[in-house]
Coordinates of all heavy atoms in Angstrom, one line a residue:
D972 N 0.7 7.1 4.3 CA -0.5 6.6 4.9 C -1.5 6.5 3.8 O -1.6 7.4 3.0 CB -1.0 7.6 6.0 CG -0.2 7.6 7.2 OD1 0.4 6.5 7.6 OD2 0.0 8.7 7.9
H973 N -2.3 5.4 3.9 CA -3.3 5.3 2.8 C -4.5 4.6 3.4 O -4.4 3.6 4.1 CB -2.8 4.5 1.6 CG -3.8 4.4 0.5 ND1 -4.2 5.5 -0.2 CD2 -4.4 3.3 0.0 CE1 -5.1 5.0 -1.1 NE2 -5.2 3.7 -1.0
T974 N -5.7 5.0 3.1 CA -7.0 4.4 3.5 C -7.6 3.7 2.3 O -7.9 4.4 1.3 CB -7.9 5.4 4.2 OG1 -7.3 6.0 5.3 CG2 -9.2 4.7 4.6
F975 N -7.8 2.4 2.4 CA -8.4 1.7 1.3 C -9.9 1.7 1.5 O -10.4 1.7 2.6 CB -7.9 0.2 1.3 CG -6.5 0.1 0.9 CD1 -5.5 0.2 1.9 CD2 -6.1 -0.1 -0.4 CE1 -4.1 0.0 1.5 CE2 -4.8 -0.3 -0.7 CZ -3.8 -0.2 0.2
A976 N -10.6 1.8 0.4 CA -12.1 2.0 0.4 C -12.8 0.6 0.7 O -13.9 0.6 1.3 CB -12.6 2.5 -0.9
S977 N -12.1 -0.5 0.5 CA -12.8 -1.8 0.8 C -11.7 -2.8 1.1 O -10.5 -2.6 0.8 CB -13.7 -2.2 -0.4 OG -12.9 -2.4 -1.6
T978 N -12.2 -3.9 1.6 CA -11.3 -5.0 2.0 C -10.8 -5.7 0.7 O -11.4 -5.6 -0.3 CB -11.9 -6.0 3.0 OG1 -13.1 -6.5 2.3 CG2 -12.3 -5.3 4.2
G979 N -9.7 -6.4 0.9 CA -9.2 -7.2 -0.3 C -7.7 -7.3 -0.2 O -7.1 -6.9 0.8
V980 N -7.1 -7.9 -1.3 CA -5.7 -8.0 -1.4 C -5.2 -7.0 -2.5 O -5.7 -7.1 -3.6 CB -5.2 -9.4 -1.7 CG1 -3.7 -9.5 -1.9 CG2 -5.7 -10.4 -0.6
Y981 N -4.3 -6.1 -2.1 CA -3.8 -5.1 -3.1 C -2.3 -5.3 -3.2 O -1.6 -5.6 -2.3 CB -4.1 -3.7 -2.5 CG -5.5 -3.4 -2.3 CD1 -6.2 -3.7 -1.1 CD2 -6.3 -2.9 -3.4 CE1 -7.5 -3.4 -1.0 CE2 -7.7 -2.6 -3.2 CZ -8.3 -2.9 -2.0 OH -9.6 -2.6 -1.9
T982 N -1.8 -5.1 -4.5 CA -0.4 -5.1 -4.7 C 0.1 -3.6 -4.6 O -0.2 -2.8 -5.5 CB 0.0 -5.7 -6.1 OG1 -0.5 -7.0 -6.1 CG2 1.5 -5.7 -6.3
V983 N 0.8 -3.3 -3.6 CA 1.4 -2.0 -3.3 C 2.8 -1.9 -3.9 O 3.6 -2.8 -3.6 CB 1.4 -1.6 -1.8 CG1 2.0 -0.3 -1.6 CG2 -0.1 -1.7 -1.3
Q984 N 3.0 -0.9 -4.8 CA 4.3 -0.8 -5.4 C 5.0 0.6 -4.9 O 4.3 1.6 -4.9 CB 4.1 -0.8 -6.9 CG 5.5 -0.7 -7.7 CD 5.3 -0.7 -9.2 OE1 4.2 -0.4 -9.7 NE2 6.3 -1.2 -9.9
L985 N 6.2 0.5 -4.7 CA 7.0 1.7 -4.3 C 8.1 1.8 -5.4 O 8.9 0.9 -5.6 CB 7.7 1.5 -2.9 CG 8.7 2.6 -2.5 CD1 8.0 4.0 -2.5 CD2 9.3 2.2 -1.2
T986 N 8.2 3.0 -6.0 CA 9.2 3.4 -6.9 C 10.0 4.5 -6.3 O 9.5 5.5 -5.9 CB 8.6 3.8 -8.3 OG1 7.7 2.7 -8.7 CG2 9.7 4.1 -9.3
V987 N 11.3 4.3 -6.3 CA 12.2 5.3 -5.7 C 13.2 5.8 -6.8 O 13.5 5.1 -7.8 CB 13.1 4.8 -4.5 CG1 12.2 4.4 -3.4 CG2 14.0 3.6 -5.0
T988 N 13.5 7.1 -6.7 CA 14.5 7.7 -7.6 C 15.6 8.4 -6.8 O 15.3 9.0 -5.8 CB 13.7 8.9 -8.4 OG1 12.6 8.3 -9.0 CG2 14.6 9.4 -9.5
D989 N 16.8 8.1 -7.2 CA 17.9 8.7 -6.5 C 18.4 10.1 -7.2 O 17.8 10.5 -8.2 CB 19.1 7.8 -6.3 CG 19.9 7.5 -7.6 OD1 19.7 8.2 -8.6 OD2 20.8 6.6 -7.5
E990 N 19.4 10.7 -6.6 CA 19.8 12.0 -7.0 C 20.4 12.0 -8.5 O 20.4 13.0 -9.1 CB 20.8 12.7 -6.0 CG 22.2 12.3 -6.2 CD 22.6 10.9 -5.6 OE1 21.7 10.2 -5.0 OE2 23.7 10.5 -5.6
T991 N 20.8 10.8 -9.0 CA 21.3 10.8 -10.3 C 20.2 10.4 -11.3 O 20.5 10.3 -12.5 CB 22.4 9.7 -10.4 OG1 21.8 8.4 -10.2 CG2 23.5 10.0 -9.4
G992 N 19.0 10.2 -10.9 CA 17.9 9.8 -11.8 C 17.7 8.3 -11.9 O 16.8 7.9 -12.7
L993 N 18.5 7.5 -11.2 CA 18.3 6.0 -11.3 C 17.0 5.7 -10.5 O 16.7 6.2 -9.5 CB 19.5 5.3 -10.7 CG 20.8 5.4 -11.5 CD1 21.9 4.7 -10.7 CD2 20.6 4.7 -12.9
I994 N 16.3 4.7 -11.1 CA 15.0 4.3 -10.5 C 15.0 2.9 -10.1 O 15.6 2.0 -10.8 CB 13.9 4.5 -11.6 CG1 13.7 6.0 -11.9 CG2 12.5 4.0 -11.1 CD1 12.8 6.3 -13.1
G995 N 14.5 2.6 -8.9 CA 14.3 1.3 -8.4 C 12.8 1.1 -8.0 O 12.1 2.0 -7.6
S996 N 12.4 -0.2 -8.0 CA 11.0 -0.4 -7.7 C 10.8 -1.8 -7.0 O 11.6 -2.7 -7.3 CB 10.2 -0.4 -9.0 OG 8.8 -0.6 -8.7
T997 N 9.9 -1.8 -6.1 CA 9.5 -3.1 -5.4 C 8.0 -3.1 -5.2 O 7.4 -2.0 -5.1 CB 10.3 -3.2 -4.1 OG1 10.0 -4.5 -3.6 CG2 9.9 -2.2 -3.1
S998 N 7.5 -4.3 -5.0 CA 6.1 -4.4 -4.7 C 5.8 -5.5 -3.8 O 6.6 -6.4 -3.6 CB 5.2 -4.6 -6.0 OG 5.6 -5.8 -6.6
Q999 N 4.7 -5.4 -3.1 CA 4.3 -6.4 -2.1 C 2.8 -6.5 -2.0 O 2.1 -5.4 -2.0 CB 4.9 -6.0 -0.7 CG 4.6 -7.0 0.4 CD 5.4 -6.7 1.6 OE1 6.4 -6.1 1.6 NE2 4.9 -7.2 2.8
A1000 N 2.3 -7.7 -1.8 CA 0.8 -7.9 -1.7 C 0.5 -7.5 -0.2 O 1.1 -7.9 0.7 CB 0.4 -9.3 -2.0
V1001 N -0.6 -6.7 -0.1 CA -1.0 -6.3 1.3 C -2.5 -6.7 1.4 O -3.3 -6.4 0.5 CB -0.9 -4.7 1.4 CG1 -1.5 -4.3 2.7 CG2 0.5 -4.3 1.3
T1002 N -2.8 -7.4 2.5 CA -4.2 -7.8 2.7 C -4.9 -6.7 3.6 O -4.4 -6.5 4.7 CB -4.3 -9.2 3.4 OG1 -3.6 -10.1 2.5 CG2 -5.7 -9.6 3.7
V1003 N -6.0 -6.2 3.2 CA -6.7 -5.1 3.9 C -7.9 -5.8 4.5 O -8.8 -6.3 3.8 CB -7.0 -4.0 3.0 CG1 -7.9 -2.9 3.7 CG2 -5.8 -3.3 2.4
T1004 N -8.1 -5.7 5.8 CA -9.3 -6.2 6.5 C -10.1 -5.1 7.1 O -9.5 -4.0 7.2 CB -8.9 -7.2 7.6 OG1 -8.0 -6.6 8.5 CG2 -8.1 -8.4 7.0
A1005 N -11.3 -5.4 7.4 CA -12.2 -4.4 8.0 C -11.8 -4.1 9.5 O -11.2 -5.0 10.1 CB -13.6 -4.8 7.9
G1006 N -12.1 -3.0 10.0 CA -11.9 -2.7 11.4 C -13.0 -3.4 12.2 O -13.9 -4.1 11.7
N1007 N -12.9 -3.2 13.5 CA -13.9 -3.8 14.4 C -15.2 -3.1 14.3 O -15.3 -1.9 14.0 CB -13.4 -3.6 15.9 CG -12.3 -4.6 16.2 OD1 -11.9 -5.4 15.4 ND2 -11.8 -4.4 17.4
P1008 N -16.3 -3.9 14.5 CA -17.6 -3.3 14.4 C -17.8 -2.4 15.6 O -17.2 -2.5 16.6 CB -18.6 -4.5 14.5 CG -17.8 -5.6 15.2 CD -16.3 -5.3 14.8
V1009 N -18.8 -1.5 15.5 CA -19.1 -0.6 16.6 C -20.5 -0.9 17.1 O -21.5 -0.9 16.4 CB -19.1 0.9 16.1 CG1 -19.5 1.9 17.2 CG2 -17.7 1.2 15.5
A1010 N -20.5 -1.3 18.4 CA -21.8 -1.7 19.1 C -22.4 -0.4 19.6 O -21.8 0.5 20.1 CB -21.5 -2.6 20.2
D1011 N -23.8 -0.4 19.5 CA -24.6 0.7 20.0 C -26.0 0.2 20.2 O -26.4 -0.7 19.5 CB -24.5 1.9 19.1 CG -25.1 3.2 19.8 OD1 -25.3 3.2 21.0 OD2 -25.2 4.2 19.1

């Protein structure tokens, strides 16, 4: 879980390591938008 401080497009990268020490990585662009406004 991650909360971004501001809107925008972020490249999120995941790096995994297996039990033998081999490393794999992938990344994906994520668009972060603002939540709904609060009326009062």
